[in-house]
Amino acid sequence: MNGSQVHVVGGGLAGCEAALQLARLGVPCTLHEMRPVRSTPAHRTAGLAEVVCSNSLKSTEPATASGLLKAELDLAGCRLLGAARGAAVPAGAALAVDRELFSAAVAALIAAEPLVTLVRDEVVDFADDPAARWIVATGPLTSPDLNAAIARRTGREGLHFFDAVAPSVSLESLDCDRLFRAARYDKGEADYWNAPLDREEYRAFCAALVAAERTEVHDFEKSLLFDGCQPVEEIADTGPETLAHGPLRPVGLRHPRTGERAHAVVQLRQENEAGTIFGLVGFQTRLKQGEQRRVFRMIPGLERAEFVRYGQLHRNLYLDAPRVLDARFALRDDARIRFAGQITGVEGYVESIASGLTTAWRLAAELRALDLPDWPDRTLLGALLDGFLRDGTSRRFSPMNANFGLLPVAPDVARGRRGRQQRKEILAERSLAALRAHLAEPATAALLAP
Ligand SMILES: Cc1cc2nc3c(=O)[nH]c(=O)nc-3n(C[C@H](O)[C@H](O)[C@H](O)COP(=O)(O)OP(=O)(O)OC[C@H]3O[C@@H](n4cnc5c(N)ncnc54)[C@H](O)[C@@H]3O)c2cc1C
């Protein structure tokens, strides 16, 4: 098979991982990225693997779902996680990256790969060539023409919902005398800046927040707001103390000078290697930009904050995977066209990388006539990609992050028999053991053999 026959569409997280995995498995491919020819409402650069919102790839602790997924991907030989570690900025127990360094590191990996040809163009449809294979990894902001081409093939419109993004501010514009550095429960280094609010400040802030002007969401879109990324003002709408028990919870954060616990605390997390930009943790928002300046500057220490990135609401597109995709993530009606990343219905940066790796492996196995088994169901890779994405139980399929709730629970680790932490540790150990065995199975070993 020559290089022009496998097309990876989208140079984001999933597409770059897929292209690098295909190359590792000896399959040449063309990687199509439409930026800078055409951009999306959220991307700001022409860089490959641009992380569009939070710079955090979440926890690295093995007994968390995100940490376990990373450990599984490391075993599988994931390429983008290595690039992320090389571009890491301090973030306690999380893996957070300097966006530009990460993107540059991924671009360097792609450039160094002779089997990957990078082309800057927008793919708007699929050629009729029966020998062509496509991995569509165009993400939640797939360009409208390609969206229409996919919808023509799936026989139904792609589903839409909306996500909200948190704003970032420059460190130099903050009044650091009013803030303190700490990590919750002193876990890891004191990497976060924290803005404590007393009861009156908190109440005044919440009152301004719920009254502030928001960008429009049409009626039919309102029910689609994603709970896991609910805008801060919408959380505040549900009650005056909800934020103080949610993203502004003060637990585990005592002021190092006074030892006191505030009524509420806003946390700011470092976003670039230089440590000059910080994001407001949990402040996804659809307030108008002027309102963001006015209301968020009520937070003590942020009175003169300079917003380097405003929060925003964005379109998020994904397929009804259980009904339109098969086990290879190929369209049921056209197996030449497969999918990877958020468009398949996984949610999150690391999940999208995992999906890119998996789709690439399955395509490479098929081209070599290898019968690759599913991921073990005890792994998060298996539970998410082979379990959740095929599960048509819910009539309204909607994306999901990796989480322990997806894993089958053996009776000896059932709830109540052990502490929560210990249960997660056991599940994590089992998952990694199952994955090691899977990687040693004949078809998988043959695929990965150099
Ligand atoms: C605004 C926003 C904020 C998000 N915030 C977070 C977050 O904080 N944390 C988190 O874990 N997840 C977040 N997500 C969800 C998700 O994890 C990311 O979108 C992730 O980048 C998905 O990876 P992907 O590779 O599937 O898509 P992307 O990384 O979006 O990559 C898709 C690529 O395809 C390109 N493309 C699109 N159409 C075409 C075409 N027709 N031809 C060629 N190229 C095309 C795009 O330019 C882009 O480079 C967010 C999503 C959005 C949209």
Side-chain angles (χ1 to χ4, degrees), residues 170-208:
S170 68
L171 178 63
E172 63 171 7
S173 68
L174 304 181
D175 180 355
C176 292
D177 289 342
R178 304 201 63 183
L179 311 178
F180 64 92
R181 293 209 81 154
R184 203 178 292 281
Y185 296 116
D186 295 324
K187 259 190 168 179
E189 301 293 313
D191 294 329
Y192 292 78
W193 281 104
N194 299 281
L197 290 86
D198 64 24
R199 194 183 155 80
E200 286 67 42
E201 289 166 333
Y202 170 79
R203 284 288 168 99
F205 171 72
C206 286

Side-chain angles (χ1 to χ4, degrees), residues 9-16 32-35 38-40 42-43 47-58 121-124 137-147 163-165 229 284 312-316 340-343 346-353 401:
V9 189
L13 296 166
C16 288
H32 302 263
E33 170 51 55
M34 69 174 181
R35 290 173 293 116
R38 183 193 271 258
S39 197
T40 78
H43 288 82
L48 295 176
E50 177 180 338
V51 289
V52 286
C53 176
S54 162
N55 64 330
S56 173
L57 276 64
K58 299 196 189 154
D121 66 355
E122 179 191 359
V123 171
V124 293
T138 44
L141 303 168
T142 296
S143 69
D145 286 351
L146 186 61
N147 182 14
D163 247 353
V165 169
C229 208
Q284 297 85 1
Q312 60 166 303
L313 197 74
H314 65 86
R315 183 166 65 92
N316 192 343
Q342 178 121 351
I343 196 169
V346 298
E347 169 78 25
Y349 298 144
V350 179
E351 288 84 346
S352 296
I353 292 170
N401 292 110

